[in-house]
Amino acid sequence: MPLLTLGKSITISGLVLAGLFGAAAPAAADQTRDRWVNIPDTATVAHGISCGGRIGGVTVATDSLPGLVYVRLNATFVGISATPGMLCSVSATLHWRNLETGAAGSWSADVSGGVIDFPAEPWTHLETGSGRVEVTLTTDRPHIPSDTEINVY
């Protein structure tokens, strides 16, 4: 086989194989995109004889579930609980408002914690709708609320 023909054959075979393998690979556009945003800490007094600390959290919005944002709160408290053997606790409320549609809502959970920061609640989801969403974290005890804004797919 002449060298020129051999070179063409190798080139054509390479292009065919590249086309086959390229078609089998998933496209980058098919990958899920997530937006993670930390909820700033809310300083708060907690239920107990002498309890106080902070509550924070994280949100994640994913393009595979538009209009939903997932939330998880965590807390760190120090002090003496009113009930022996129990951790300091507080009722936390996450207020949200979609700045583009005007939709609003809230979600509340009893949050407890100790000196070590750990997740205080399992993940939950909020049906905020797509757009920019303002989030405010408050408690049922004296506190300094925190605000943040998230972009929901």
Side-chain angles (χ1 to χ4, degrees), residues 23-46:
D30 292 336
Q31 295 178 353
T32 300
R33 294 177 300 172
D34 297 335
R35 290 183 181 145
W36 292 80
V37 175
N38 288 325
I39 299 171
D41 289 346
T42 293
T44 185
V45 172

Side-chain angles (χ1 to χ4, degrees), residues 39 71 73 91-98 103-108 126 128 133-140 143 145-148 150:
I39 299 171
V71 177
L73 299 179
S91 178
T93 302
L94 198 65
H95 306 272
W96 61 268
R97 184 170 62 92
N98 188 311
S106 64
W107 168 75
S108 296
L126 307 174
T128 63
V133 177
E134 180 181 64
V135 176
T136 303
L137 180 58
T138 63
T139 74
D140 66 339
H143 65 280
S146 66
D147 296 307
T148 193
I150 56 179

Side-chain angles (χ1 to χ4, degrees), residues 45-56:
V45 172
H47 296 284
I49 297 168
S50 176
C51 286
R54 58 133 217 97
I55 300 171

Side-chain angles (χ1 to χ4, degrees), residues 68-81:
L68 296 179
V69 61
Y70 287 84
V71 177
R72 185 168 200 170
L73 299 179
N74 55 26
T76 302
F77 294 122
V78 294
I80 301 169
S81 173

Side-chain angles (χ1 to χ4, degrees), residues 2-3 10 20 30-31 42 48 55 60-61 64-65 69 71 76 78 83 86 94 120 127 145 149:
L3 189 55
I10 291 172
L20 289 174
D30 292 336
Q31 295 178 353
T42 293
I55 300 171
V60 63
S64 64
L65 297 167
V69 61
V71 177
T76 302
V78 294
T83 307
M86 298 299 289
L94 198 65
E127 296 180 21
E149 191 176 294

Side-chain angles (χ1 to χ4, degrees), residues 9-26:
S9 296
I10 291 172
T11 302
I12 291 171
S13 298
L15 290 173
V16 169
L17 288 174
L20 289 174
F21 287 114

